[in-house]
Amino acid sequence: MSLAQNVRQAARAVAEGGDPRQAVAGALREQYGVGGGQAPGGGSGADPADFLAARDQGASVDTRIEQQSVWLNSASEALNRSKLERGPSGPVHVICPMVIPRGRSLLTMFPAVLLIAVGVVASVVLSATGGDALLNPFFGIHYWVMALAAAVFMWWRQGMVMVPDGCQALITRFGKLEQVTGPGRVTLFNPWKRVSYIVNTTREYPFNAPIREAPTRSGVKASIDLFVQFRINDPVEFIYTLGAVRGFQEKLNNAVSETTRALIYDQEASDIYDMVGENTTPLLEQLNQQFSPAVELTNANITHAEPASQEYRMDLAAPEMVRVAKEAYTHEYELQLRKEQDEGDLNKELASLNETLSAIQADIATYQAQMDTALERETNRARAVARQRFTEAESEARANAALLEAQALDIRAVSAAEAPEILNYRYQQRVLDTLEQLADRLPQVVKIGAGDGASVNFLRVAQEIVGEAGGELFTETDMAAIRTRLAEIADRIAGREDEIARLLAAGPSTVTAVPAAAARGDEDGEQGAGTAGGAADAFAPPAGEGE
């Protein structure tokens, strides 16, 4: 069984009310055996290699102090720059609190030397040719004055030194300290004086001193990282008393190692983790006594402390693992209970929402039925109104048609009474038009016999076919009867003129359009309005009657 399963079982037993010591002891006994440690025979126990140290994971970085030899123009950049390098045992943080400036170079004096050499050669040549070297327009006395001025300016420029801000420079002559100057410009006219060292006295540099292994009071090895910050107060003491960079680093490493090992030896192995972040003021005072007044350590912190043995780290982590597993199991159980409660609340809320949805759907169905009923009622009412108006309009149209037809007949009768020849002429013309239309469909007439008596009168035959007897349209008796009633007919015509004038003034009568709801009901309510539709169709006039 794996370590995680054993820890989970122990946490479950503690959560159920068991004794924590017995639960932990049982889990350790089952995992490692009675005596603890890794299970023999390569079983599925905990591996000490799984408990890596922070230093093995790259959390600890060594610090190296170095000095560089640079030109004066690059001194400020070198003093304020730090870098990270890869060392044989891991990453190394490199700092540079002091630089050694490079001396004057003859290369910068080359222009002045070249001018002097050219002047000497020119003087020799002029002397050999018999010329006056002092009065020559090119290499006369003025040339030597200019060459001397150039040499003096270059020598002065080489003697001007710029000390960076926050630093102090040590000026020596033949290796002897002559002067300590602060930041700013310093002019060295003496050619034997030079700036030997430039030290940064304001910046606080970090220094990490890791102790790989040191015994505790119980004999267990422990590793500690002590992080300190230092500032150089007296550059003279720093260089000539502490031995500059190399001597200071060696002494600082030894002092930190000695102090830290003494601090580790005073601790128990089980309390080694408590050293991280504890008060280090006594440690800082003890270190300052060794480096004062050259260097001042401004801060000291223990950033890492743990047993160096992986087996011991595993033994110390077992109770913590049980505690964490217990908390995890308790949290998981609480989450499960909360999940069940949330699911129950969600189910109740879902049921309530479903009931609300059913009520809303029932209301929608009720409202839809009411809407359908109202629509059908309005449709039937609109159709009844339409049929009523259509019947009224049809009756009125037929009455008007009858009136106009009677008026036309009376006018025709008056016209026939006054001029029957015109009426007869129109009748005969209409008969001829009818015969002309039937000319292509007349039957074939065969003549039998000879002589004038056997001739065929085709016009008479055609008249007989269409039912024309060939007599007069109106006889004298008919005309006499019409003339006797002429006054009566004229009175009827005059009596109808006012009514016809009102009809012509009113214009054509229209029927109000059926509402849109009734028109839409024709499609949606076929079953509810079938009878009414059939009754409306029964009142529709036949084709051609309105014409």
Side-chain angles (χ1 to χ4, degrees):
M1 185 178 294
S2 64
L3 177 61
Q5 294 177 354
N6 291 330
V7 171
R8 186 178 293 274
Q9 289 182 359
R12 186 178 293 109
V14 174
E16 292 176 356
D19 188 4
R21 294 184 179 180
Q22 294 181 0
V24 172
L28 294 177
R29 187 182 304 108
E30 183 177 356
Q31 184 69 32
Y32 308 119
V34 179
Q38 187 177 3
S44 59
D47 188 2
D50 295 336
F51 296 85
L52 298 177
R55 184 176 289 106
D56 297 336
Q57 301 177 7
S60 179
V61 180
D62 293 340
T63 303
R64 185 176 76 245
I65 308 175
E66 67 177 10
Q67 63 185 17
Q68 298 181 8
S69 179
V70 297
W71 295 104
L72 284 172
N73 296 333
S74 304
S76 177
E77 180 181 0
L79 290 171
N80 294 289
R81 181 181 59 191
S82 60
K83 57 184 177 179
L84 193 65
E85 296 181 354
R86 178 63 62 179
S89 60
V92 179
H93 183 227
V94 181
I95 58 177
C96 178
M98 185 188 75
V99 296
I100 300 177
R102 296 177 183 176
R104 300 177 181 178
S105 175
L106 294 178
L107 184 62
T108 57
M109 298 294 297
F110 179 75
V113 175
L114 181 62
L115 288 176
I116 295 174
V118 171
V120 171
V121 173
S123 299
V124 172
V125 172
L126 291 175
S127 299
T129 57
D132 191 357
L134 297 178
L135 299 178
N136 188 275
F138 296 102
F139 298 98
I141 187 64
H142 60 281
Y143 177 83
W144 291 103
V145 172
M146 293 175 59
L148 181 61
V152 171
F153 173 76
M154 291 181 182
W155 185 261
W156 171 80
R157 184 66 182 85
Q158 286 294 314
M160 187 173 61
V161 178
M162 294 292 186
V163 180
D165 188 19
C167 302
Q168 293 186 11
L170 276 68
I171 300 175
T172 60
R173 184 166 66 99
F174 298 112
K176 180 182 177 182
L177 180 64
E178 292 286 335
Q179 181 183 359
V180 178
T181 182
R185 185 182 66 181
V186 180
T187 304
L188 303 178
F189 293 105
N190 191 341
W192 312 117
K193 288 185 178 182
R194 62 186 300 268
V195 178
S196 300
Y197 308 99
I198 296 179
V199 182
N200 194 327
T201 57
T202 57
R203 181 181 176 184
E204 294 184 359
Y205 289 94
F207 185 83
N208 191 33
I211 304 299
R212 304 295 178 181
E213 289 185 355
T216 61
R217 183 182 302 176
S218 57
V220 178
K221 301 292 184 179
S223 63
I224 288 182
D225 287 355
L226 180 62
F227 176 80
V228 298
Q229 286 181 321
F230 67 89
R231 182 178 62 247
I232 301 174
N233 291 334
D234 191 346
V236 177
E237 293 290 333
F238 176 77
I239 294 173
Y240 295 104
T241 303
L242 297 181
V245 170
R246 296 185 182 276
F248 171 68
Q249 182 171 8
E250 292 178 359
K251 293 179 181 178
L252 182 61
N253 284 329
N254 294 334
V256 169
S257 176
E258 180 182 357
T259 306
T260 307
R261 290 178 184 276
L263 186 63
I264 295 174
Y265 188 76
D266 294 338
Q267 300 289 332
E268 293 289 343
S270 58
D271 300 334
I272 197 67
Y273 289 104
D274 298 335
M275 296 181 63
V276 178
E278 70 177 6
N279 187 15
T280 57
T281 302
L283 176 64
L284 193 62
E285 294 176 354
Q286 184 178 356
L287 292 175
N288 281 326
Q289 291 177 1
Q290 301 182 29
F291 295 98
S292 181
V295 178
E296 178 186 3
L297 277 72
T298 60
N299 189 17
N301 289 316
I302 298 176
T303 58
H304 168 74
E306 65 178 0
S309 174
Q310 293 180 344
E311 290 78 5
Y312 192 79
R313 288 200 300 271
M314 182 181 65
D315 293 339
L316 291 179
E320 182 68 17
M321 292 175 60
V322 172
R323 185 187 64 81
V324 172
K326 176 184 176 182
E327 293 179 356
Y329 175 76
T330 305
H331 185 64
E332 181 181 1
Y333 182 72
E334 292 177 355
L335 290 178
Q336 185 66 25
L337 290 179
R338 186 178 300 174
K339 178 182 178 182
E340 294 177 356
Q341 293 176 359
D342 293 343
E343 288 180 353
D345 296 339
L346 288 176
N347 291 332
K348 293 180 181 179
E349 186 175 358
L350 181 60
S352 176
L353 292 177
N354 289 331
E355 293 178 0
T356 305
L357 179 60
S358 301
I360 293 175
Q361 290 178 350
D363 293 341
I364 292 174
T366 303
Y367 294 149
Q368 186 65 34
Q370 294 176 0
M371 291 171 60
D372 294 342
T373 304
L375 179 61
E376 183 177 359
R377 183 173 60 252
E378 293 298 325
T379 301
N380 294 333
R381 186 182 64 81
R383 287 183 177 180
V385 173
R387 287 195 301 271
Q388 180 183 356
R389 293 185 179 182
F390 177 77
T391 303
E392 293 175 356
E394 185 179 9
S395 301
E396 184 179 356
R398 288 180 179 179
N400 294 334
L403 176 63
L404 294 175
E405 185 177 359
Q407 185 74 357
L409 291 176
D410 290 343
I411 293 173
R412 185 181 298 176
V414 173
S415 300
E418 292 178 353
E421 295 82 5
I422 296 175
L423 187 60
N424 191 21
Y425 171 76
R426 289 180 178 176
Y427 174 73
Q428 294 297 333
Q429 186 179 6
R430 184 173 181 180
V431 170
L432 290 176
D433 292 339
T434 303
L435 292 176
E436 184 181 1
Q437 293 177 0
L438 298 176
D440 294 336
R441 295 191 293 272
L442 293 176
Q444 296 293 330
V445 179
V446 180
K447 180 181 178 181
I448 301 174
D452 294 336
S455 61
V456 179
N457 189 353
F458 291 98
L459 179 60
R460 185 59 185 171
V461 173
Q463 289 178 350
E464 291 178 356
I465 291 175
V466 297
E468 173 62 27
E472 294 293 334
L473 180 62
F474 295 101
T475 62
E476 291 296 334
T477 305
D478 295 334
M479 294 303 298
I482 292 174
R483 289 188 182 99
T484 57
R485 297 176 59 192
L486 187 60
E488 182 183 356
I489 295 174
D491 293 337
R492 288 202 303 267
I493 292 174
R496 297 191 191 100
E497 285 181 356
D498 295 337
E499 188 175 358
I500 293 174
R502 287 196 303 271
L503 291 176
L504 294 176
S509 61
T510 58
V511 180
T512 306
V514 180
R520 187 169 55 251
D522 292 343
E523 299 178 358
D524 300 337
E526 289 292 339
Q527 297 179 358
T531 305
D537 295 340
F539 283 98
E545 184 177 347
E547 300 176 357

